[in-house]
Amino acid sequence: MPDYLHPLRFGSFITPLASAPQVPVDLALLSEELGLDLVTFQDHPYQPKFLDTWTLLSWVAARTSRIHVSGNVLNLPLRQPAVLARSLVSLDLLSGGRVELGIGAGGYLDAIAAMGAPKLTVGNAVSGLEEALEIIRGIWDSENPEPLRVEGQFHRVDGAARGAGTGS
């Protein structure tokens, strides 16, 4: 077996159907009861048959006590990176450190554009993901006193305060 440099964790991947909104919550509670480490939810904000993943993550984190929560994966083109960085830290603090970041470039580019994001090529979506990770890491870098400036092609911040939940 490969060495992943950390203990393996096991979890569930739950479809957040809005037609039965309590079902994904109940499955998350069952995942925790069964001793799983992580519960994840698809993130397709353009899909009206799904609950909003960020709202669901917050609800499940409040209803559970041990299991970690994550989007699988959060749809970056529809989530501004600096705000996402702060949102992740807020939920992580509120949940006692139980939030994991799973983020992706977006797979359904036409549906993403239909929701108001720029129409990207696959290559541009990946480049945007790289820029977003730089911003997210920069927001989280509370050791650097300088305001964060990233002038990317797809994402930018110009003087954002660093640190999230650190009081800095």
Side-chain angles (χ1 to χ4, degrees):
M1 180 179 329
D3 183 357
Y4 295 101
L5 304 178
H6 61 80
L8 288 180
R9 297 189 309 169
F10 296 90
S12 57
F13 175 74
I14 298 173
T15 302
L17 291 175
S19 60
Q22 191 57 40
V23 170
V25 176
D26 289 344
L27 289 171
L29 292 169
L30 179 61
S31 296
E32 181 171 70
E33 182 182 320
L34 293 173
L36 294 178
D37 304 304
L38 177 69
V39 61
T40 68
F41 303 94
Q42 297 181 52
D43 185 38
H44 299 286
Y46 43 79
Q47 181 56 262
K49 69 181 183 178
F50 289 165
L51 295 168
D52 172 68
T53 300
W54 194 255
T55 304
L56 182 58
L57 288 172
S58 299
W59 184 260
V60 167
R63 298 278 317 271
T64 57
S65 61
R66 183 198 52 76
I67 200 165
H68 287 232
V69 299
S70 181
N72 192 356
V73 295
L74 293 175
N75 191 309
L76 173 64
L78 292 172
R79 302 191 186 282
Q80 203 280 340
V83 175
L84 178 59
R86 297 235 197 275
S87 297
L88 282 158
V89 168
S90 294
L91 186 55
D92 196 55
L93 289 168
L94 289 166
S95 70
R98 296 185 294 121
V99 177
E100 306 294 338
L101 172 59
I103 192 168
Y108 299 96
L109 299 175
D110 290 333
I112 291 167
M115 291 290 288
K119 176 74 163 118
L120 299 173
T121 65
V122 172
N124 286 345
V126 171
S127 295
L129 176 61
E130 290 173 0
E131 292 173 6
L133 289 172
E134 180 181 355
I135 291 169
I136 291 167
R137 287 179 177 128
I139 291 290
W140 290 347
D141 182 6
S142 59
E143 301 296 314
N144 188 337
E146 297 297 317
L148 178 62
R149 288 183 170 65
V150 175
E151 183 61 39
Q153 181 180 356
F154 306 100
H155 302 288
R156 60 195 54 82
V157 291
D158 187 16
R162 295 177 189 257
T166 61
S168 55

